[in-house]
Amino acid sequence: MAAAVTPKDETSDLAAVEAMLRAARGDDRTGSVRAITLNLIVHAPDPELVEGAIDALEHVGPSHPLRAIVATPIDAELRATVASSCWVGASDRQVCSERVLVQAGPKALPSAVTSLLVPDLPVFLWWQGPFDRSDRLAAELAGLASRVIVDSGVCSLEGVAAARLLAPSVADLAWAGLLPWRDAVAGLFDGPAEVKALDGIRAVDVRGPENEARLMAGWLRAALGADIELRREGRSHHVERVTMTAGGKQFLVERTGRGRLGSASVPGLLDYPVVLAPPNRPSLLADELSRLSGDRLFERALEAA
Amino acid sequence: MATTAKRPAPNPLRAGLRVGGASEPTVFVIYGASGDLAQRKLLPAIYNLAVRGLLPNRFAVIGYARSEMDNDTFREYARTAVEKFSRTPVDDHLWRAFAESLHYQSGNFDEEGFKVLGDRLEAIDAAHGTGANRVYYLSTPASFFPVIVQAMGATKLNKPGGFARVVIEKPFGHDLGSARELADVVHRPFSESQIYRIDHYLGKETVQNIFAFRFANAIFEPVWNNTHVDHVQITVGESIGVEHRAAFYEETGVVRDIVQNHLLQVFALVAMEPPASFNADPIRDEKAKLLRATRPMTLENSVRGQYGDGYVAGEQAVAYLDEPNVPPDSNTPTYIAAKLEVDNWRWAGTPFYIRAGKRLAKRVTEVAVQFKRPPHLPFPVDAVEQLESNALVLRIQPDEGISLRFGAKAPTPTLALRTVNMDFLYGSSFLAEVPEAYETLILDAIRGDGTLFTRQDGVERSWELVDPLLERWRKGSPQVYGSGSWGPDLSDELLARDGRRWRRP
């Protein structure tokens, strides 16, 4: 899949942005229908986060042609930079995304972002950094969005809970990254014999970061309707092992080596491989942009975490 | 008739899990595992499902065929097949894990062989916790289907303790009588709900998109009827000839190869009433109702052709009769054009013209909905002489998308209206990798979702629609058309007598 990025162009007049984007598309001379499926506001308070966001957008663009408005609060006059990226796939199919980097004072930024939204399309806010409900910028940008995406590994579960008070729907990239683990843990009990063992689960041992361990325990509590004790086995950047015991028998999922594979262990059966893809932020972001509605399972897990 | 096994208690940890794949432990049995279909389609599709993380965690494949192989040899064979035919490259790391789930059992398609297979399946259940759930895929020539299902019933493979599903490839008979005979045999050990009849066309994302287009958009359905639609044209064109399949094609011809299954399925999706829900039975009920309302095809309303020599896309092409292994006096049709009429409230008086053929000008599958002209055009005659009626075209392949034809004022000093096309390419909204049809259908069979599979009543009705024509076509000869054309001249006359003409795709 080849990508072509148009040269960046800068302006301090937001009214000129649409014309600049049209020029970036070649003034639509090809007569093709422009297809944009959503608006994505990205909160990027420092240059490193701006660069990270641009990398992620390059990954997300082929599956979600979108207008990204990367918003950076600064103590200076407003300025905007536009760019358009196109990807050519099989049969010369092409999709394009638009990117506007906006820098403005925190008070001016929400109105600047509002003026740049493509009408009538869903609005997502990807909030990078800690989330503080009393932060006026966070509140105003969240108020524009139908779905807010945060990372509890950065903003903590309390930050996620705060975001939930401001937006109709909230997604947590850390929770999304736990999906292969939750699938593998659920798989331990897919057999008719093992499903009965779930009644005996009283504790879960997790080797991994605090927020993810708490979410794992919260999910089990919510799903099983039981008081499950969380025992941390140690710290690591990502989840490495989840263990549960029922009736003196141990059920285990653990990462083996550095690849995508792990191993699952069920009493009485041969150990079997499971796919435990390490979290990849751009992929997780793309997945979260695929849904508009809230994730009831996540909300219940968060409440029980 | 067999009954399905009692379902175990659901796993509460599965509730709400956004995985999208299958979760119930399953053994996938491939009868004819050393054959062409398994090599080209099934093994690569199963591998890609593994790559996408969509297979159950506890999953095993057992290949069964007469060829002698052990597990290791079968795994090597499977790897070669995946390397050659998979849409994704082999990941060594993942392959090692995937290969552990592959097993092989050699034997004949008889009770003795299947008893050994049953013991092997039980051993896999005990070691891997696959829960006595089975999907049996009959990847053999259709002539083996009766023998296999009978032996499965005799050896109780149809009642493993968990669920048992059997997947059958087309052809489902070669006429109505043989379709019923096959159904009688299969229904002895399996109930209809356990049978998954594959028509891989329905597994294509692009065909499924017809559902989305029709039933997720309020703006089209109100005009989707005989009040507004003049007629509909469905084209399934292939640019290739019979290649090395002459023996097969001589037995089938274009009607059995394309019309009775793929084309009538597309027709049903375009013309059916909205189902109550996107589930197997509501959809299959509506398709069956539509086919029941459709008149059987007649000699008078159809044209058959056979390709002669010519040029296709600049390449010289030989005539059908000059293809290897084609008898010199063959009257097998490689082309059909026909008028379908539907006797229901929505479509009475609005014909569906279908055409399908080999060695046509280009490879294309599309549905063109031709709307009626406005009741009155308040413009000078010379201003609208180049204006055509509105058309909505659903392109299924290649370049999937939607095209809308409408009139607009040309920027000229005198009033003139011109026809313009607005094209929407599906690929300009989503550039994601599209799964192979077999991936979709195999996953659905494992999940127990029969939505995209055909039901016996639909199969029988489609034979009822084509059988009278096939009977009449026993006599006479098809009209020869040049390779690279859009079919014989008579196909143009078929529409011309109704005051219409074929659209050029």
Side-chain angles (χ1 to χ4, degrees):
Chain A
M1 191 182 302
V5 183
T6 59
K8 291 173 186 169
D9 213 347
E10 191 170 305
T11 181
S12 59
D13 176 14
L14 290 185
V17 165
E18 291 296 340
M20 291 162 65
L21 285 169
R22 200 162 48 244
R25 294 195 300 267
D27 286 322
D28 296 337
R29 280 189 298 268
T30 58
S32 62
V33 175
R34 166 180 168 235
I36 294 276
T37 56
L38 59 96
N39 294 285
L40 174 63
I41 306 166
V42 185
H43 173 246
D46 62 52
E48 194 178 336
L49 289 176
V50 171
E51 286 306 313
I54 290 172
D55 285 347
L57 291 169
E58 292 296 308
H59 178 91
V60 169
S63 57
H64 297 278
L66 51 77
R67 173 173 291 184
I69 304 162
V70 183
T72 304
I74 54 166
D75 290 325
E77 288 296 300
L78 179 149
R79 62 174 183 268
T81 310
V82 306
S84 171
S85 295
C86 294
W87 296 266
V88 180
S91 307
D92 288 333
R93 294 185 308 171
Q94 175 172 297
V95 301
C96 296
S97 280
E98 301 166 348
R99 191 170 69 231
V100 186
L101 309 182
V102 192
Q103 296 177 314
K107 285 185 182 172
L109 203 50
S111 67
V113 168
T114 303
S115 73
L116 294 168
L117 294 173
V118 179
D120 232 18
L121 287 178
V123 179
F124 291 74
L125 167 64
W126 177 20
W127 183 272
Q128 301 183 101
F131 195 98
D132 181 352
R133 197 182 151 203
S134 61
D135 180 338
R136 187 172 160 181
L137 180 62
E140 291 197 34
L141 291 182
L144 295 173
S146 44
R147 188 163 167 80
V148 174
I149 300 167
V150 294
D151 184 348
S152 63
V154 177
C155 71
S156 79
L157 295 185
E158 286 64 34
V160 181
R164 281 189 65 203
L165 297 173
L166 295 172
S169 163
V170 172
D172 176 10
L173 295 179
W175 165 259
L178 277 178
L179 182 59
W181 283 90
R182 287 183 280 125
D183 181 41
V185 168
L188 297 171
F189 304 96
D190 274 337
E194 294 81 28
V195 75
K196 294 175 188 154
L198 283 169
D199 291 338
I201 302 288
R202 291 290 171 268
V204 57
D205 296 84
V206 180
R207 178 182 294 170
E210 182 188 349
N211 64 313
E212 294 180 34
R214 285 174 60 192
L215 283 170
M216 182 66 76
W219 167 58
L220 291 169
R221 288 174 195 135
L224 301 178
D227 188 14
I228 309 284
E229 181 192 356
L230 170 62
R231 297 190 296 233
R232 301 277 307 284
E233 275 190 11
R235 295 179 189 283
S236 58
H237 287 302
H238 301 298
V239 175
E240 298 293 339
R241 185 163 63 190
V242 176
T243 315
M244 285 171 284
T245 305
K249 294 175 178 173
Q250 191 179 64
F251 296 80
L252 167 79
V253 177
E254 65 180 340
R255 190 183 299 284
T256 51
R258 298 176 62 192
R260 297 174 62 191
L261 288 180
S263 174
S265 177
V266 175
L269 300 179
L270 295 176
D271 289 358
Y272 58 89
V274 287
V275 177
L276 296 171
N280 172 290
R281 269 163 64 93
S283 295
L284 298 176
L285 179 65
D287 286 346
E288 292 308 319
L289 294 176
S290 297
R291 54 187 291 143
L292 269 174
S293 59
D295 180 350
R296 185 71 192 117
L297 191 62
F298 167 58
E299 290 163 1
R300 291 175 60 211
L302 184 66
E303 286 160 8
Chain B
M1 188 179 286
T3 54
T4 47
K6 191 182 170 199
R7 304 306 298 266
N11 177 355
L13 298 182
R14 286 284 170 202
L17 212 55
R18 286 161 43 191
V19 177
S23 59
E24 280 193 88
T26 303
V27 181
F28 193 92
V29 182
I30 304 175
Y31 291 110
S34 59
D36 198 49
L37 179 69
Q39 192 183 13
R40 286 174 177 271
K41 297 291 183 186
L42 306 187
L43 290 166
I46 294 168
Y47 172 72
N48 279 312
L49 288 171
V51 170
R52 295 163 65 200
L54 297 177
L55 292 175
N57 285 321
R58 298 186 207 169
F59 179 78
V61 174
I62 181 157
Y64 187 91
R66 284 180 292 207
S67 313
E68 287 289 340
M69 271 193 270
D70 58 17
N71 281 350
D72 288 340
T73 315
F74 181 60
R75 289 167 185 172
E76 277 305 307
Y77 167 82
R79 174 152 185 149
T80 305
V82 172
E83 283 174 346
K84 198 168 176 185
F85 298 110
S86 166
R87 67 183 173 85
T88 60
V90 174
D91 176 322
D92 281 333
H93 213 63
L94 275 176
W95 179 265
R96 279 198 289 278
F98 177 69
E100 285 179 35
S101 70
L102 301 178
H103 308 265
Y104 186 80
Q105 179 67 47
S106 65
N108 292 320
F109 299 132
D110 57 19
E111 291 181 31
E112 189 184 342
F114 285 10
K115 277 179 187 160
V116 177
L117 174 63
D119 293 342
R120 189 76 189 278
L121 286 164
E122 285 179 15
I124 289 173
D125 284 336
H128 299 280
T130 36
N133 294 323
R134 313 270 188 264
V135 174
Y136 301 104
Y137 200 114
L138 273 56
S139 174
T140 65
S143 55
F144 285 102
F145 293 175
V147 176
I148 291 174
V149 293
Q150 276 170 351
M152 287 173 74
T155 53
K156 306 281 189 252
L157 288 180
N158 59 329
K159 296 176 181 171
F163 65 70
R165 298 172 188 139
V166 61
V167 184
I168 301 176
E169 277 276 342
K170 81 172 179 79
F172 316 121
H174 54 85
D175 57 17
L176 178 61
S178 58
R180 283 181 173 157
E181 282 171 21
L182 175 63
D184 286 345
V185 172
V186 180
H187 279 152
R188 273 174 225 147
F190 294 103
S191 65
E192 180 63 25
S193 65
Q194 293 174 282
I195 302 168
Y196 292 71
R197 296 178 189 82
I198 271 201
D199 181 338
H200 76 273
Y201 228 65
L202 291 181
K204 288 178 181 284
E205 289 278 314
T206 50
V207 173
Q208 292 172 58
N209 200 30
I210 295 175
F211 277 118
F213 182 77
R214 281 197 61 197
F215 303 129
N217 296 293
I219 58 173
F220 301 116
E221 201 56 23
V223 296
W224 210 260
N225 53 51
N226 51 10
T227 305
H228 300 281
V229 176
D230 180 73
H231 70 283
V232 179
Q233 297 183 13
I234 303 177
T235 302
V236 180
E238 296 176 274
S239 56
I240 58 170
V242 291
E243 316 246 279
H244 303 293
R245 299 166 67 224
F248 162 80
Y249 205 80
E250 275 292 294
E251 293 291 317
T252 53
V254 67
V255 175
R256 291 188 178 94
D257 189 35
I258 299 289
V259 177
Q260 182 269 337
N261 35 69
H262 306 327
L263 201 149
L264 285 181
Q265 287 297 325
V266 172
F267 161 66
L269 296 182
V270 171
M272 66 190 262
E273 296 298 316
S277 66
F278 192 72
N279 288 312
D281 276 334
I283 287 175
R284 298 195 286 198
D285 287 346
E286 294 303 337
K287 281 162 52 174
K289 270 167 60 184
L290 185 275
L291 294 177
R292 281 198 296 272
T294 305
R295 295 184 202 170
M297 294 164 69
T298 64
L299 189 65
E300 297 71 30
N301 281 334
S302 58
V303 170
R304 60 178 151 164
Q306 187 184 72
Y307 62 81
D309 58 9
Y311 286 83
V312 181
E315 298 283 328
Q316 192 167 12
V318 299
Y320 180 73
L321 295 180
D322 294 328
E323 298 275 18
N325 302 319
V326 172
D329 58 348
S330 169
N331 69 347
T332 301
T334 62
Y335 176 94
I336 180 174
K339 180 161 102 172
L340 296 179
E341 293 171 288
V342 184
D343 293 326
N344 68 9
W345 198 283
R346 183 188 288 260
W347 294 117
T350 295
F352 285 71
Y353 298 100
I354 62 168
R355 59 178 165 173
K358 287 192 172 293
R359 282 272 166 77
L360 297 185
K362 64 179 178 183
R363 171 179 167 259
V364 63
T365 302
E366 67 166 36
V367 178
V369 181
Q370 306 276 354
F371 289 90
K372 292 180 176 174
R373 295 180 75 86
H376 169 65
L377 286 169
F379 306 103
V381 173
D382 57 351
V384 295
E385 61 186 2
Q386 293 185 43
L387 189 65
E388 303 205 54
S389 59
N390 297 129
L392 183 69
V393 180
L394 311 178
R395 281 191 309 276
I396 294 169
Q397 66 181 13
D399 300 329
E400 185 205 8
I402 295 162
S403 177
L404 182 63
R405 186 175 72 191
F406 55 90
K409 183 186 175 303
T412 53
T414 55
L415 182 63
L417 304 181
R418 296 280 186 274
T419 297
V420 294
N421 268 358
M422 187 168 73
D423 265 330
F424 168 75
L425 278 177
Y426 188 65
S428 62
S429 279
F430 314 100
L431 208 56
E433 287 262 334
V434 177
E436 285 275 332
Y438 275 93
E439 289 174 45
T440 303
L441 294 169
I442 286 172
L443 181 63
D444 281 356
I446 295 171
R447 283 196 294 215
D449 182 350
T451 306
L452 300 177
F453 297 83
T454 47
R455 203 170 56 187
Q456 182 60 22
D457 56 346
V459 171
E460 290 187 14
R461 182 58 190 164
S462 56
W463 280 119
E464 285 173 350
L465 295 182
V466 302
D467 269 359
L469 184 63
L470 290 172
E471 184 58 34
R472 298 290 298 274
W473 276 6
R474 284 170 169 275
K475 295 176 184 165
S477 300
Q479 189 188 15
V480 174
Y481 60 96
S483 283
S485 72
W486 281 108
D489 297 340
L490 286 173
S491 68
D492 292 331
E493 288 177 26
L494 180 72
L495 269 70
R497 71 186 189 207
D498 293 341
R500 300 180 175 112
R501 60 186 164 83
W502 287 108
R503 165 190 147 78
R504 180 171 48 77

